Amino acid sequence: MANEILIVDDNPDIRNILNELISDLGYRTRLAANYQQALTEIDKKLPDVAVLDVKLSNTENNEGLKLLDHIKNKNKDIPVIIISGHANIEMAIKSLKSGAFEFLEKPFDEERLMNFVKRAVENFKLKNENKVLETKLFHSFELIGN
């Protein structure tokens, strides 16, 4: 089963480029152009990895960081890659402290972004495998006593 990547960017050109690059790696993609579409996609089904733009409208609200928090509240193990054309060190630190897997400034190097996506998918797979193994380990012994 191919992993599913959610791509959220208000710029249709960037959204389409990301879609094409990630699809070429063999991953399934879902797209959202704004905060509300992204919320709908996330609530419908959590992705395996998310690529989020920080600013999804002309306002000063950093909707991408709100989406990051929303995803992390649902499942802290989902890797989220944050991209921004309005990046500064403070924003990068804030997103990483909020649980972002990586932070990338626009214009981004395609090869670097694809490396982040591959690493994020691998990270997600390993965390899921770890959960399965822990479940098997702790449910395979019958505890006797107080």
Side-chain angles (χ1 to χ4, degrees), residues 12-136:
D13 293 332
I14 293 176
R15 199 170 52 247
N16 291 332
I17 287 169
L18 289 170
N19 183 38
E20 194 172 305
L21 289 170
I22 292 171
S23 294
D24 286 349
L25 291 175
Y27 302 121
R28 286 181 300 147
T29 58
R30 291 172 24 216
L31 306 175
N34 58 48
Y35 179 79
Q36 204 54 51
Q37 285 179 6
L39 272 181
T40 302
E41 288 297 320
I42 292 164
D43 291 340
K44 183 169 44 176
K45 181 180 179 288
L46 282 171
D48 297 325
V49 175
V51 179
L52 308 176
D53 186 12
V54 172
K55 293 199 183 282
L56 298 173
S57 64
N58 293 331
T59 67
E60 289 303 310
N61 298 334
N62 293 330
E63 288 111 343
L65 296 181
K66 290 178 185 174
L67 290 171
L68 169 63
D69 290 339
H70 187 71
I71 291 170
K72 291 298 179 176
N73 285 335
K74 288 185 166 284
N75 182 344
K76 65 179 175 49
D77 292 336
I78 294 175
V80 178
I81 299 168
I82 299 288
I83 57 175
S84 178
H86 310 281
N88 56 42
I89 291 174
E90 182 183 326
M91 185 182 294
I93 290 171
K94 184 176 181 180
S95 65
L96 292 170
K97 280 186 175 181
S98 296
F101 183 76
E102 288 289 351
F103 184 91
L104 196 58
E105 210 175 341
K106 290 179 190 176
F108 51 82
D109 176 76
E110 293 175 7
E111 190 173 314
R112 187 168 181 221
L113 177 64
M114 293 306 96
N115 184 38
F116 287 164
V117 169
K118 289 177 195 173
R119 284 183 34 228
V121 168
E122 186 63 26
N123 178 281
F124 184 71
K125 284 181 183 177
L126 288 173
K127 284 183 177 180
N128 281 340
E129 287 174 19
N130 191 33
K131 282 181 188 174
V132 169
L133 291 173
E134 282 179 356
T135 302
K136 286 181 180 177

